[in-house]
């Protein structure tokens, strides 16, 4: 079986799922399939869930792997805790995307947080994640959650100066998530943040997307006074890693060291994030730092 979505080609053949596409040219990633659990097109994208031989259940959107149960915490913990532990007292949090529930799960670990707004445009992603990814979707019952099934950019336009942290958990800049990588979205996010607010966005991979990230960095720096880049290691993503733009609305506020530390109970619940990992994640190779002018 072969399926083609915007920029990404996936095949399921001889018991293997193979992910390839124009956004990671010349390479592919494969996982052995034990069982296809769900496959259907929503109003927005193709949604596939399969049980893999070594990575647990796997969520695939438009033929691109989004989550595997084996390594999801390396992404979810970092995209959530890098901005949240960099803020002295986050109370109002907004998650753009994140329908699998992982960022919500991690954000809910912060006792100071009073409201978590989550904007996921595709209800089917939420429903499928609740059924097939129970560890990720465990916080959908949290009383602080304000779930909005709508376009995240449109939601932010209606909420100026409201959020302490905005976390953009998007897929790649093809298909439904393409608008989340545009300059106007970052301007909208800037205006939706409080004066000391922090934006954290999924930011692809320095090994295959450096030119794309370099162009982004030029206009992000015209919007936010403090712009930094961090990385995490995650084997099921292209080249085994993914980055994050960490943007502070407050001039001079660096997120390279945590402002707060996790208490003992929170740290015990974490598999990847720690204060030391927080600091080290901002140390990136010279070739990438030079290209991004960091």
């Amino acid at each position: 079986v072969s399926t083609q979505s915007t920029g990404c080609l996936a095949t399921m053949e001889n018991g293997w799922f193979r992910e390839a596409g124009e956004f990671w040219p010349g390479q592919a990633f494969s996982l052995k399939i034990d069982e296809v659990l769900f496959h259907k097109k929503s109003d927005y994208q193709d949604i596939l869930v399969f049980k893999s031989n070594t990575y647990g259940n796997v969520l695939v959107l438009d033929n691109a792997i989004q989550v595997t149960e084996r390594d999801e915490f390396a992404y979810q913990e970092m995209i959530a805790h890098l901005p949240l532990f960099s803020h002295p007292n986050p109370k109002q949090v907004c998650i753009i995307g994140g329908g699998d529930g992982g960022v919500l799960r991690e954000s809910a670990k912060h006792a100071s947080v009073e409201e978590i707004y989550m904007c996921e445009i595709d209800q089917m992603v939420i429903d499928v994640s609740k059924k097939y990814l129970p560890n990720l979707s465990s916080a959908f019952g949290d009383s602080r959650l304000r779930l909005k099934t709508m376009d995240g950019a449109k939601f932010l336009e209606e909420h100026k100066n409201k959020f302490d942290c905005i976390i953009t958990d998007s897929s790649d800049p093809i298909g439904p998530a393409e608008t989340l990588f545009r300059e106007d979205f970052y301007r909208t996010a800037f205006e939706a943040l409080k004066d000391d607010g922090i934006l954290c966005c999924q930011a692809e991979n320095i090994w295959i997307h450096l030119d794309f990230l370099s162009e982004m960095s030029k206009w992000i720096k015209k919007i936010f006074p403090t712009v930094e880049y961090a990385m995490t290691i995650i084997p099921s993503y292209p080249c085994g890693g993914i980055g994050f733009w960490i943007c502070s609305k407050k001039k001079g506020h660096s997120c390279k060291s945590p402002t707060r530390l996790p208490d003992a109970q929170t740290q015990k619940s974490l598999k990847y994030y720690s204060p030391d990992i927080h600091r080290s994640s901002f140390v990136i190779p010279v070739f990438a730092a030079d290209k991004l002018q960091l």
Side-chain angles (χ1 to χ4, degrees):
V1 179
S2 177
T3 56
Q4 173 82 51
S5 291
T6 308
C8 189
L9 174 68
T11 58
M12 289 185 284
E13 190 174 5
N14 298 323
W16 286 82
F17 172 86
R18 180 179 182 271
E19 173 194 67
E22 65 184 38
F23 207 59
W24 39 94
Q27 64 186 62
F29 179 72
S30 295
L31 288 173
K32 191 174 183 180
I33 301 169
D34 280 353
E35 180 185 2
V36 174
L37 301 173
F38 180 92
H39 194 192
K40 193 173 182 179
K41 282 189 180 292
S42 73
D43 291 338
Y44 300 95
Q45 57 204 333
D46 183 90
I47 301 175
L48 166 70
V49 182
F50 66 89
K51 181 182 178 183
S52 69
N53 188 254
T54 53
Y55 277 73
N57 288 355
V58 181
L59 172 66
V60 181
L61 300 180
D62 276 345
N63 301 325
I65 292 171
Q66 303 300 307
V67 163
T68 85
E69 289 183 309
R70 179 178 178 179
D71 62 6
E72 52 86 7
F73 57 87
Y75 173 82
Q76 314 293 347
E77 291 184 14
M78 292 295 279
I79 197 172
H81 297 310
L82 286 174
L84 287 167
F85 278 118
S86 295
H87 195 285
N89 189 29
K91 294 183 178 181
Q92 301 288 327
V93 175
C94 183
I95 302 166
I96 305 297
D100 55 62
V103 178
L104 169 62
R105 180 193 66 196
E106 297 306 317
S107 300
K109 294 177 181 179
H110 292 257
S112 65
V113 172
E114 297 174 354
E115 290 185 308
I116 306 171
Y117 286 83
M118 180 175 163
C119 299
E120 168 59 60
I121 199 169
D122 196 339
Q123 180 66 44
M124 191 180 290
V125 173
I126 297 171
D127 295 339
V128 166
S129 298
K130 286 180 178 179
K131 184 172 183 178
Y132 297 108
L133 300 168
N135 291 331
L136 277 133
S137 58
S138 58
F140 274 105
D142 194 293
S143 62
R144 295 168 292 175
L145 174 62
R146 311 288 182 261
L147 183 59
K148 308 289 182 181
T149 310
M150 65 178 293
D151 179 80
K154 192 170 294 184
F155 175 81
L156 291 181
E157 288 174 3
E158 300 167 358
H159 295 80
K160 309 289 187 185
N161 196 40
K162 179 174 177 62
F163 297 108
D164 298 299
C165 289
I166 298 172
I167 302 167
T168 303
D169 176 19
S170 67
S171 50
D172 297 310
I174 46 180
E178 193 267 336
T179 59
L180 303 180
F181 289 80
R182 293 179 184 171
E183 184 174 348
D184 55 355
F185 172 77
Y186 276 72
R187 291 192 184 279
T188 298
F190 180 89
E191 293 173 0
L193 288 167
K194 295 179 183 176
D195 290 343
D196 61 349
I198 299 168
L199 171 68
C200 182
C201 297
Q202 187 269 98
E204 299 302 332
N205 187 284
I206 60 171
W207 291 101
I208 46 178
H209 304 128
L210 195 55
D211 289 340
F212 175 79
L213 293 169
S214 177
E215 290 303 309
M216 282 191 76
S217 72
K218 294 173 185 176
W219 51 255
I220 294 175
K221 290 171 186 174
K222 294 178 182 178
I223 301 169
F224 284 88
T226 306
V227 179
E228 294 162 322
Y229 189 87
M231 298 189 301
T232 189
I233 298 167
I234 177 165
S236 63
Y237 286 174
C239 294
I242 200 164
F244 311 102
W245 289 119
I246 317 284
C247 310
S248 297
K249 192 170 181 177
K250 184 178 180 180
K251 187 176 182 179
H253 177 71
S254 173
C255 295
K256 290 184 177 181
S257 292
T259 302
R260 297 176 299 112
L261 301 178
D263 58 31
Q265 182 179 353
T266 302
Q267 187 61 67
K268 194 174 180 179
S269 75
L270 301 173
K271 297 179 180 180
Y272 193 99
Y273 178 90
S274 71
D276 285 340
I277 285 285
H278 184 126
R279 298 181 190 97
S280 66
S281 68
F282 288 89
V283 181
I284 66 174
V286 173
F287 78 92
D290 287 348
K291 186 77 171 181
L292 300 179
Q293 297 183 341
L294 298 172

